[in-house]
Structures are given as structure tokens and as C-alpha cells.
Amino acid sequence: MRKLINRSEAIVDEMIDGYLAAYGDYVSRVEGRRVVTRAVPKESGKVGLVIGNGSGHEPIAVGWVGRGMLDANALGEVFAAPPPDLILEAIRAADRGAGVLLLISQHAGDVLNGEMAVELARAEGFEVEVLLMYDDISSAPKGSESERRGAPGTTFIYKIVGARAEEGADLTELKALGERVRDQTRTLSAAVAPGISPLTGEPMFSLPEGEIFLGMGVHGEPGFRRMKGATADEVVAAMMEGILDDLPFEAGDEVLAFVNGAGGTTLMELLIVYRAVAKILGARSLRAYKPLVGEYVTTQEMAGFSISLCRADEEMKRLWDAPVAVPFYHR
Amino acid sequence: MRKLINRSEAIVDEMIDGYLAAYGDYVSRVEGRRVVTRAVPKESGKVGLVIGNGSGHEPIAVGWVGRGMLDANALGEVFAAPPPDLILEAIRAADRGAGVLLLISQHAGDVLNGEMAVELARAEGFEVEVLLMYDDISSAPKGSESERRGAPGTTFIYKIVGARAEEGADLTELKALGERVRDQTRTLSAAVAPGISPLTGEPMFSLPEGEIFLGMGVHGEPGFRRMKGATADEVVAAMMEGILDDLPFEAGDEVLAFVNGAGGTTLMELLIVYRAVAKILGARSLRAYKPLVGEYVTTQEMAGFSISLCRADEEMKRLWDAPVAVPFYHR
């Protein structure tokens, strides 16, 4: 037994039970459904921010429901998009009369089910807009950005749009802001060792000992390049080259920088990785604003990390730094 | 290559470099030394809180330097206590004329080097008191509490004493408060799979596949009981029996509860573990106050967790809930 669970079919419900038992001062549950909402309902007139996503990537997204970030999260089975009716339930719970922005991290099932939920919600009279989020440069070439997958750089959107929603911005403005952040964001990931599926108890993919896979997705989607026996500095250098060239980022730009741990990589390593990121940013005359390092978007205990950069304007910086009060996001 | 590092002898310095590069708005470094302090020096007259500890357990303790918690942290090599002169340097950095409380998590090397540092500091005229922290019920029998090891339950002390120090309490009061919290705290750990030493690249201990080891220490010290093929609920039930009987905790008590992840155990699992803890607390008529779940005291990517309970009075609850602003502690 590698996983500390009871029954694989009960994982999501028991996780939600545990979350409410521990953090009931922050979050509530829609009775009988896998939908987590804020414990203290927000005031009317605020746009509701909602996401549905597969479980198994915690703390995202369930850990980010609360003031300054999300209003509701629909939790799918492990690594599976939630069904449309569950996302609809989250939209109902999040609506306070000012409409709902449904965030969708771009993966086939999430897009399909999210769009069906939007149709159902509109048929019920809800005002809903969709923000498609994609940032993973390894998943489609430059010029085809809108075909890319969602990756940990979506964190910039949750935080920045969440902060602006709290300030009372309307649905049109929030969607445009989210698109602006998305279009300035680039992410690349590296996998060092697989995570273990809590459903099967087996590793989610295989990787030869000592090799690092660049470009792997958050569900173990294949990457594009293998490196062997490389130091942290060498891996980061290869990744930063791809990221910086893609937007491209240019000397003098100010960037939000985020090093995310995939689950089994220690904070010690993530900080050594960020050291290398910071050196390259400095050498390229890019300025980092309040960087974030930690384990936020995981693939179970997969070892690996991602680097995300967002070219930031003054409004984005202000909102990145705005107060937030959720159990599992803190800078 | 399993670890994302550059050279094993540079791990601690490069980790500190990365930490300062990312969180320089929170922390500074004593020039040329492995001592991390608050970036914004506290006002004079506050007692300084200091700890020296081996690296490799991040985010503790370096991630807890800041307002509401520590004033300075001396970082030893990986899994090795810092030398006395480094702890002395941290004491010098933390002193603001009201004395320093040196926290020592009870492990042989930490006690030895900490006590030598105190002698050196007193010889220099500093007013320093020591708070020995121990909470691991597996490491010595009931009746010999003062021989027990420090374990993740020391978190209650950092947070509660840190909050009271911020309010301006004096050295005598803080030491007494820390002892009161310690004497009401009990912890038991479970290991599921070893972490990997960043120095050797090898697993830190071995454990037969499918077995769980109860009572293992934060450096892989041997436990006292093996369980095989158990569910999360069964493991928690066995652990809670030991913890609740040890103080003992009694019906009607209010407790702080903390489920700590050792590094490689997912938040999903930790929440399922907390669900089981909460059910047992409820069945025993114990009330949990603002529980904490997450990865705070790690042993690299060791899979496992610990359960810590502290019988809380009104002052402890107030201080547990007091504001804190450090990069890697948040409830």
C-alpha cells in the first residue's frame, strides 16, 4: 500500500469531507454534491469565479476557494473532468446576480464538459462567460498558442482575476483581464519521476532512471526532450531558453515568475531551481516581481517542476500582490 | 539523477540564495553566513526567537522567519545540526535588547550545539534562554517525556510563542508559555516510503513494499510498529489510540490538531487522514480548533505523515489564530 486512502471510489468524497472538517471556517459544500464553495457567501453583485477540474492535483483548485480567488470548484474524479451537471451546480452556487466567469484549463474533457455546462446554465438564465486558459509551450508550436494545454501558469489568472473580481469588476472586464494575463504567460515543465495513480497504485508513466523529461503535461502527457545527468542549472537553462524565446520576453520587461513543484520535488530543490531562474532573468535584464515558489499544481507525488513567466503590467502587479485568504495559496 | 541540485556541497548555500531571490521582501541573510533573518528588522524591545536546525526539512524552519514567528534561523548542513558559532551568529542577529529565546528541537546534535552556542552568547553578554521542544511519543515511554524527540508538533510552539513574542511578552513569559504548549502536545508519525538523501542519492532507509512504519522520526529514526495493507482509517485509528492515551486527552478538551505531510504524501491523502482524525476526535467528545493540514516539516520526499494534538487553553487558541506573515506558513 503506497497510498493512504480507504477505497479508491471514495477518494474524492472523503477528501472533501476532510477538507471541510479541517477548514470549515473557509469553505462549505453544496449538500450531497462534489462542489466546494466559500463558507462565507460573498456579497451580491460580485462576479462568480468557477472552475471544474479533475481531482488529484491538490491544492489546486479546491484549496483556492475563498476571498480573493475562487467562488466555487466542481471536483471531478481523479484526473477526470467533472460532468457538466456538476459544473452547472457550481455555477448556480457562485452566481450572485452579476454573472459567472467559468475558468477552463484547456484539456479536451474539461473543455467539452465546461462548454456543455455553460449551455445548460444559459438555458436556466444565468449569464456565463468562458475563459479558456492555456500556457504550456511544449504542447503546440508558436503561432498555435490557442491549441496549447493549461499548465501551472494558469495560477497567474486565478490570482489576478480573483483579486479584480473581489474589487467588483464586471464580467466583460474580468474575461478581458484573464485573456490579457493568459496571452502574456508561458510555462514549461520538467518531470523527474512519475507519480502513482491512487486508482491503480501503479506509476503513471515510466522514465529511465536519471533522465529528465522536458515538456511533460500535468497528467503525464508526453514531453518533447530528454536530458540525462544534468544539473539543476543545466535543466533550468534549457527550459528558460524555450520560455524566453516563445513570447518573446525582452530586456526591461517586468515578469511574474512561478516555480511550481509537481508533488515529489522538495522545496529545497525548488529554491535551487529558482536561484537558476533568477540568474538567467538577471542576465537578460528581466526584472522579477514577487516570485512564487512552492507546490500548488501537483500530479500526485510526481517529481518535477515547472517554470512560468508572465509579462506583467502595473495592474497585474497590483492584483498579484492583493490580499487573498484561502487555505492553500499564500505568498 | 533524482535530485535537482548542482553540487551536494553547495545545496544549503544555493537554497538560501534561491530563497532570498524569491522572497527578499520577507527575508535577508547575514552576510556570508548561513543565517536567515527578517528582511524588515523588528522594533527594539522584542524578544528574539531563534532556531538552528539541519537543512532538508523545508519549509521548516527557514520558511518561518518573519512577522509572527521566528527572528532568525541558523541552517546546518543537510540533516546535521548547525555548529555553535553559526547559532551564535543567529542569536546576535536576533537580539534587540530584550533577550533571545533559543528553540531547540530535541535531537542530540541540536542540543549539544545549541547549549554551546548559549554559553558563547552569554559570555558575550547576551541574555539567552533555551526552550527544549519534544513531542514524539514513540521515542520514549510515558513518564520520560523529557527524553522524547522533537517532531512536527513543535509547530504549535513556533506559532503560539511567535505570536506572543510579537505582542511584546518578555523572555520569562515566553519560555513558560512554550513549555506549557510543549507539555500539552503529543505527536506520532507514520512512514510509508523513504525519502532520498540529496547527499548520496540513495533512499534514507528501507521499508518493505506495502508496509507502514509507525513512530518513525524525522530523520528516519526507527519506529515501533509495522502495519501491512491497512487503510487510512485503520492507520489513523491505531495512531490516535496512542496519542489520546498518552497525555491523556479527555472528553470535553479543546485541541489544536495538525496533520503534517512528510514530503511525498499528497494533500489528497492528508485530507483523507484528517477526515479520520476528525471522526475519532468527535467520537471522543474532543473539539478541534482551526486544524492545520499540509506539508510543513518534511524529510525530503519521504511518504508519510504525522498527527499532532495540543490541548489548548483560551490564550493558546487566540495566539494560534493570530496574524502571521512568513513565506511558508499559512492557515
Side-chain angles (χ1 to χ4, degrees):
Chain A
M1 197 201 85
R2 178 67 163 66
K3 292 284 181 176
L4 289 155
I5 61 172
N6 293 303
R7 293 171 301 120
S8 61
E9 60 274 26
I11 288 174
V12 177
D13 285 315
E14 293 190 355
M15 175 177 77
I16 295 173
D17 285 350
Y19 190 38
L20 291 178
Y23 292 92
D25 49 332
Y26 285 96
V27 287
S28 299
R29 180 178 191 163
V30 173
E31 183 67 27
R33 304 303 304 269
R34 292 174 181 173
V35 173
V36 170
T37 64
R38 298 188 189 190
V40 181
K42 58 194 160 22
E43 57 284 16
S44 66
K46 177 188 173 295
V47 171
L49 293 188
V50 172
I51 191 165
N53 62 281
S55 298
H57 302 291
E58 294 72 27
I60 201 175
V62 69
W64 294 356
V65 174
R67 190 159 50 82
M69 293 185 90
L70 297 169
D71 293 277
N73 176 223
L75 288 86
E77 288 288 350
V78 175
F79 303 139
D85 73 294
L86 200 67
I87 302 172
L88 172 63
E89 194 77 74
I91 292 170
R92 288 182 187 133
D95 186 81
R96 285 291 185 280
V100 168
L101 184 61
L102 178 66
L103 309 178
I104 301 181
S105 178
Q106 188 152 281
H107 299 274
D110 294 290
V111 174
L112 192 69
N113 291 2
E115 287 178 345
M116 286 180 64
V118 168
E119 270 186 49
L120 295 170
R122 286 179 178 154
E124 288 190 7
F126 290 102
E127 188 188 2
V128 186
E129 292 294 333
V130 166
L131 176 65
L132 284 177
M133 306 189 292
Y134 42 79
D135 56 319
D136 183 348
I137 65 168
S138 77
S139 53
K142 189 160 175 55
S144 303
E145 284 81 2
S146 67
E147 295 169 27
R148 291 174 169 175
R149 290 189 296 250
T154 57
T155 299
F156 299 128
I157 297 176
Y158 289 80
K159 178 63 184 73
I160 290 170
V161 174
R164 186 73 190 117
E166 215 68 44
E167 293 177 347
D170 68 19
L171 189 50
T172 306
E173 179 187 336
L174 292 175
K175 180 173 172 166
L177 174 62
E179 289 172 346
R180 198 166 99 231
V181 175
R182 174 194 69 200
D183 293 343
Q184 298 297 321
T185 298
R186 298 294 186 273
T187 295
L188 188 56
S189 302
V192 179
I196 292 166
S197 165
L199 303 176
T200 65
E202 298 297 324
M204 293 170 63
F205 56 89
S206 69
L207 194 57
E209 180 66 27
E211 288 196 10
I212 291 178
F213 214 162
L214 300 193
M216 185 159 269
V218 293
H219 309 91
E221 295 92 338
F224 68 92
R225 177 179 166 192
R226 291 183 174 196
M227 294 183 77
K228 198 174 164 107
T231 64
D233 285 357
E234 289 163 350
V235 174
V236 170
M239 292 169 73
M240 286 291 282
E241 198 182 321
I243 294 168
L244 292 174
D245 289 353
D246 194 274
L247 189 57
F249 294 86
E250 287 169 4
D253 284 348
E254 196 154 19
V255 298
L256 306 177
F258 173 33
V259 170
N260 177 64
T265 290
T266 61
L267 180 57
M268 180 194 86
E269 292 163 274
L270 298 178
L271 292 170
I272 290 172
V273 163
Y274 185 73
R275 171 182 176 272
V277 170
K279 283 171 71 170
I280 292 170
L281 291 176
R284 299 271 198 128
S285 300
L286 293 156
R287 290 167 299 146
Y289 182 76
K290 298 213 173 177
L292 181 67
V293 179
E295 214 169 75
Y296 290 102
V297 185
T298 68
T299 302
Q300 294 292 300
E301 64 284 89
M302 180 166 100
F305 68 98
S306 57
I307 301 171
S308 301
L309 297 181
C310 172
R311 179 158 57 197
D313 56 33
E314 291 303 315
E315 185 185 30
M316 290 185 208
K317 282 164 52 184
R318 182 179 69 77
L319 295 166
W320 178 246
D321 206 28
V324 60
V326 302
F328 289 100
Y329 178 92
H330 171 67
R331 189 205 170 275
Chain B
M1 197 201 84
R2 178 68 163 64
K3 291 284 178 174
L4 290 155
I5 62 172
N6 293 303
R7 293 172 300 120
S8 61
E9 61 274 26
I11 287 173
V12 177
D13 285 315
E14 293 189 355
M15 174 177 77
I16 296 173
D17 285 351
Y19 190 38
L20 291 178
Y23 292 93
D25 49 332
Y26 285 96
V27 287
S28 298
R29 179 178 191 163
V30 173
E31 183 68 27
R33 305 302 306 268
R34 292 175 181 173
V35 173
V36 171
T37 64
R38 299 188 187 190
V40 181
K42 58 193 162 21
E43 58 285 14
S44 66
K46 178 189 174 294
V47 171
L49 293 189
V50 172
I51 192 165
N53 61 280
S55 297
H57 301 293
E58 294 71 28
I60 199 174
V62 70
W64 293 358
V65 174
R67 190 159 50 81
M69 291 186 91
L70 296 170
D71 293 277
N73 176 222
L75 288 87
E77 288 289 349
V78 176
F79 303 139
D85 73 293
L86 200 67
I87 301 172
L88 173 63
E89 194 77 76
I91 291 170
R92 287 184 189 131
D95 186 81
R96 284 293 183 281
V100 168
L101 184 61
L102 178 66
L103 309 178
I104 301 180
S105 179
Q106 187 153 280
H107 299 273
D110 293 291
V111 174
L112 192 68
N113 292 3
E115 287 178 346
M116 286 180 65
V118 168
E119 271 186 49
L120 295 170
R122 286 180 177 154
E124 289 190 7
F126 291 102
E127 189 189 0
V128 187
E129 292 293 332
V130 166
L131 176 65
L132 284 177
M133 305 189 293
Y134 42 79
D135 56 317
D136 183 347
I137 65 167
S138 78
S139 53
K142 189 160 175 55
S144 304
E145 285 81 2
S146 67
E147 294 168 27
R148 290 174 170 174
R149 288 187 297 248
T154 56
T155 299
F156 299 128
I157 296 176
Y158 289 80
K159 178 63 184 71
I160 290 171
V161 174
R164 186 73 188 116
E166 216 67 47
E167 293 176 347
D170 69 19
L171 188 51
T172 305
E173 180 187 337
L174 293 175
K175 180 172 172 167
L177 174 63
E179 289 172 344
R180 199 165 98 228
V181 175
R182 175 194 69 199
D183 293 343
Q184 298 297 321
T185 298
R186 297 293 185 275
T187 295
L188 189 57
S189 301
V192 178
I196 292 165
S197 165
L199 302 176
T200 65
E202 298 297 324
M204 293 171 62
F205 56 89
S206 70
L207 193 58
E209 180 67 26
E211 288 196 11
I212 291 178
F213 215 162
L214 300 193
M216 185 159 268
V218 294
H219 308 91
E221 295 92 338
F224 68 93
R225 178 181 165 190
R226 291 183 173 195
M227 293 182 77
K228 199 174 164 107
T231 64
D233 285 357
E234 289 164 348
V235 174
V236 170
M239 293 169 72
M240 286 291 280
E241 198 181 320
I243 294 168
L244 292 173
D245 289 353
D246 194 274
L247 189 58
F249 294 86
E250 287 169 5
D253 284 348
E254 195 154 18
V255 298
L256 307 176
F258 172 33
V259 170
N260 176 65
T265 290
T266 62
L267 180 56
M268 180 194 87
E269 292 164 275
L270 299 178
L271 291 169
I272 291 171
V273 162
Y274 185 72
R275 172 183 176 272
V277 170
K279 283 171 71 170
I280 292 170
L281 291 177
R284 298 269 198 130
S285 301
L286 293 156
R287 290 168 298 147
Y289 182 76
K290 300 214 173 173
L292 180 68
V293 180
E295 214 168 73
Y296 290 101
V297 185
T298 68
T299 302
Q300 294 293 299
E301 65 284 88
M302 180 167 99
F305 68 98
S306 57
I307 302 170
S308 300
L309 298 182
C310 172
R311 180 158 56 197
D313 56 35
E314 291 304 314
E315 185 186 30
M316 290 184 208
K317 282 164 52 185
R318 182 179 68 77
L319 295 167
W320 178 245
D321 205 29
V324 60
V326 303
F328 289 101
Y329 177 92
H330 172 66
R331 189 206 171 274

